[in-house]
Amino acid sequence: MSQETGSATAGASTLTQQEPVSGEVVLAIDGLAKAFGHTQALRHCTLSARAGEVHAVVGENGCGKSTLVKILAGVHRPDQGTLQVCGQAIARHHTPRKMIDAGVLAVFQEVLVVDPQTVLENLWLGADGLFRRRVPDRVKRKRAVQVLVDLLGETAPALDARVESLPLSVQQVCGIARALLRDPQILILDESTSALDVDTRNRLFDVVRRLVANGKTVIFISHRMDEIEEIADRVTVLRSGRSVATLDRRDASVPQLVRLMSGADHLTAHPPAAQRATRTGHGHCVLSVSGVRLHEAASPVDFSLRAGELVGLAGLEGHGQDAFLRALWTGSTHGEVVRIRDDGSRTVIKTAAQADALGVAYVPRDRRSESLFASLTISDNFASATLTKDRRAFLVRRPRTETRLARYRQQLSIALTSTKLPITTLSGGNQQKVVMARWLATEPAVLLLNDPTRGVDLNAKRDTYRLLEELAASGVAVVMLSTEVDELVELTDRVLVFREGSVSAELDRAELSREALVASFFGREHVSDG
Amino acid sequence: MASRVAGGVARAAGQFRLRTYLFAVGLAVVLFVANLAAQPQFVSAAALPATLAILAPFAIVAMASVPSVVSGGLDLAVGPVLSVTNVMFVAVLLPSGLGSPTVAIPILLVVGALVGAASGIATAYLRLPAIITGLCALFMVAGAGQLILLTPRQAPANWTDTLGGSVGPVPVAVLTMAVPVLIWTLLRRTPFVNAMFSVGGHAPTAFAAGLDVRAVRVIAYALGGVFAAIGGIALTAVIRSGDSSVALQYTLIAIAAMSLGGTPIGGGRGGLIGVLFGAVCIFLMQNLISALGIAATWMNVVYGCVLVAVVVVSSRLAPRPNGGLAS
């Protein structure tokens, strides 16, 4: 059917691009396949998106979503299959430039910005010719302000600020704004909401609705079912590199989607509530924080963490939760972070290395820059923190590493073909699992996690939750920063909510609910007397 | 009092962080004063044109490495290109009657551009690491210079001699050095300079945004080649001969000037003016060393030490990535 529509419009759309009628197929993908060395990332993907719809693509990590997006963006060339945009076939040797000219703009999962350049330059990157200005400066500034205010409201950054000075979420907004400024016919959002706070995400959704109302198409990729339910018109499910179904959103229930994504029946979105009740009495205090100030104007934070406890950190992006989590690992110059060991001995943490030695492990958020050795293999990445365990007479015994990794591979359900392959051959979620395994292998008493399930699929999330519950049950104290309200509510014993650099609320399990937590982000609920 | 001084230092450090070239400017001023103290006559009206003429090849070759480096590459052949231009003019163009400025200058600039573009193509299209293609180009072009002219040859009197003099009150060397600055300034009015910085800042982003990353790199290298050829002409004015042995030395000077001038190898940051002042610093340093009567054989050792110290200090002042709330 898509083929017919494609050839019918091919005659009509000549050099001057015609506005497609709503409902017409503007993007027709047939049988796309792509392999990277040993890994067949995409096997057979067929999909057609219409003008005026939000077309969601869902699937587990490693199902080929990101590869699909990169082919659509012109970054990767497909091995097989065809691609038509507005009825015109796209040659296999396409480039981002050609796809942009065809009206296809993609925002990737990775935050793609040029750090040392200004916001304005980042927003209009690629719009000019090499020597010729296609867009006058005046227009650039005006439209850039417009689009930033649309997405960020009052918190829009100055156009002349360097992007590297901005928080990650604003950098991601710059990537989104860049795509919007080029007037996309087809806008692809690949996990673009994962770095955004709730307000910004809602404003992005407003923009998406406006685009769709004007007959544009949005390909929307997210692991968050609530977002899919909120914004998508149709949903295509990918599994192991194949497109398995396209459903109307109205016909698609979350359990049904999960079933299609995983190919199994027994999975539900969340762990049974009964499991939570098992964890009650906590051990002694393992980490004590007193008087830590996150910036000069903020009021100090006191906090104590007990063995077997699972504490969440939450708040709007950039309100201090991130800094607090890091302070637990690196110590703080304003205030004290004290590690209390089982034998009662107390040590003030002053450096990260010291924290590591004292059994405090930190799993960072930004895989690419903070935790992965991209050029090393999976097993090297795993062993990097615990290599001494495999040492005998000054030499490292590789088989030992493999044995140790095998345990975590099973525990975390890491999907991999060989541990000797570069870590970059794994999907994002599996990379994250390897990083987790690296730190779990140090057998920490305190585990600090910085948004561990960011950009990770439902099944991988479930694996992570199960693991964290097991760890807590075995007496490990876990502090987890999360941007996902549901997991904080489901999983944690209590949540510290940060606002403007200090703890504005602390919700214990009895008080924890979606509504209460979100309300506290905005300081709408009065702070409890504690 | 102490706190006011500390505040001043902090403010100055803040300024340096925003404008990395200020460091080179500051150091140049200090070195200039030191030179004045050691050898007051070096900026006298009589000596100034000659002094500036010696500076010119330093400054221009340093500027020649800027385009490739800010766009994420590393053209190590700038010194050899300068040297090839020099020997080509003296040993090929002058003897064969092509020595007039209207003929020789276009030929030399085109040769520079072609050699630069060739390194650029090797880097951009073969996807080899920039340092490898840079080294290959360094050896090949330096070798080509030696093939043209192995032993130094005196040049007959020609138009380049005037580049060491003055036009009215203005030393001609100032005009020579102004040419790359002028070209750069004109290019700044097009999107190209920003495109170079974007490609050097994060090539995957630039590529995904639709920039032709390869074309930007190749043109950047070619531009550097043109600058280096201008440097070769300026060198001819100083040494009044053809000499293929200076190739490596000038590449090293260019790299040192870049480090001093706040243009890190890796790309995306820095600029032409900082590097120009970086070259001025190196020139003044050399001048000072010889004025103080330190043996020339010690020159390279002193050079290296000063450079390490300076790079450490200036990198401490460089912008830090992404602070956030904590610190």
Side-chain angles (χ1 to χ4, degrees), chain B residues 285-297:
Chain B
M285 227 187 285
Q286 278 200 354
N287 213 50
L288 187 64
I289 287 170
S290 61
L292 292 176
I294 300 171
T297 38

Side-chain angles (χ1 to χ4, degrees), chain A residues 154-411:
Chain A
E154 288 157 14
T155 58
L159 292 181
D160 297 316
R162 286 195 184 197
V163 161
E164 63 198 344
S165 67
L166 305 173
L168 190 66
S169 59
V170 182
Q171 295 186 359
Q172 178 67 298
V173 168
C174 287
I176 297 171
R178 183 194 304 138
L180 291 173
L181 282 171
R182 305 286 284 273
D183 299 319
Q185 189 62 49
I186 299 166
L187 175 68
I188 303 166
L189 297 173
D190 181 7
E191 291 285 337
S192 314
T193 52
S194 61
L196 305 182
D197 62 49
V198 183
D199 275 350
T200 309
R201 195 198 64 183
N202 289 343
R203 281 187 292 254
L204 172 64
F205 281 4
D206 289 341
V207 172
V208 165
R209 288 191 190 98
R210 215 156 59 218
L211 281 173
V212 170
N214 288 329
K216 313 295 185 202
T217 307
V218 177
I219 307 287
F220 183 77
I221 293 168
S222 172
H223 287 309
R224 315 233 343 218
M225 287 302 151
D226 54 336
E227 294 182 348
I228 306 273
E229 284 183 304
E230 186 179 342
I231 194 104
D233 296 308
R234 290 198 299 161
V235 186
T236 291
V237 182
L238 284 187
R239 184 170 76 223
S240 313
R242 293 173 201 281
S243 45
V244 290
T246 298
L247 308 167
D248 253 35
R249 194 244 339 245
R250 283 181 301 269
D251 305 340
S253 64
V254 171
Q256 190 186 5
L257 287 176
V258 171
R259 204 156 55 234
L260 283 167
M261 277 155 54
S262 58
D265 262 324
H266 62 280
L267 292 154
T268 52
H270 297 293
Q275 241 182 327
R276 297 185 54 216
T278 56
R279 212 171 59 247
T280 45
H282 301 308
H284 71 289
C285 179
V286 291
L287 201 65
S288 162
V289 173
S290 54
V292 164
R293 294 156 79 98
L294 299 174
H295 62 81
E296 279 167 19
S299 49
V301 180
D302 295 324
F303 168 67
S304 72
L305 179 69
R306 299 153 76 88
E309 216 180 3
L310 220 163
V311 177
L313 305 182
L316 297 175
E317 181 82 28
H319 275 254
Q321 60 271 40
D322 193 59
F324 181 71
L325 188 68
R326 279 164 198 270
L328 294 183
W329 184 50
T330 59
S332 172
T333 45
H334 313 281
E336 254 186 2
V337 179
V338 180
R339 165 88 173 99
I340 303 158
R341 265 174 292 189
D342 289 343
D343 58 11
S345 65
R346 303 165 67 93
T347 317
V348 178
I349 295 178
K350 293 213 176 71
T351 65
Q354 201 185 6
D356 288 341
L358 290 166
V360 180
Y362 174 75
V363 181
R365 170 190 262 182
D366 189 350
R367 286 193 295 273
R368 194 175 57 157
S369 68
E370 290 185 297
S371 55
L372 282 190
F373 301 107
S375 57
L376 296 185
T377 66
I378 295 163
S379 79
D380 287 337
N381 265 283
F382 162 71
S384 59
T386 50
L387 208 56
T388 47
K389 289 192 180 184
D390 306 322
R391 194 175 58 182
R392 244 169 67 189
F394 302 111
L395 297 175
V396 171
R397 305 273 154 150
R398 288 283 167 186
R400 285 195 179 192
T401 311
E402 297 301 324
T403 318
R404 289 195 300 125
L405 175 56
R407 191 181 129 210
Y408 292 101
R409 183 176 162 185
Q410 196 191 6
Q411 198 179 2

Side-chain angles (χ1 to χ4, degrees), chain B residues 190-289:
Chain B
T190 75
F192 183 70
V193 170
N194 259 322
M196 285 197 290
F197 278 98
S198 294
V199 167
H202 195 223
T205 301
F207 178 63
L211 260 184
D212 192 337
V213 171
R214 290 166 170 179
V216 170
R217 288 219 162 115
V218 172
I219 298 171
Y221 271 74
L223 181 64
V226 171
F227 287 1
I230 300 171
I233 297 170
L235 178 72
T236 314
V238 181
I239 61 176
R240 300 194 174 205
S241 60
D243 185 353
S244 60
S245 67
V246 297
L248 184 62
Q249 187 200 342
Y250 275 96
T251 289
L252 293 179
I253 287 169
I255 292 170
M258 264 191 317
S259 316
L260 275 172
T263 299
I265 289 163
R269 295 168 200 274
L272 200 73
I273 300 304
V275 174
L276 176 60
F277 277 96
V280 171
C281 289
I282 287 180
F283 169 74
L284 290 173
M285 227 187 285
Q286 278 200 354
N287 213 50
L288 187 64
I289 287 170

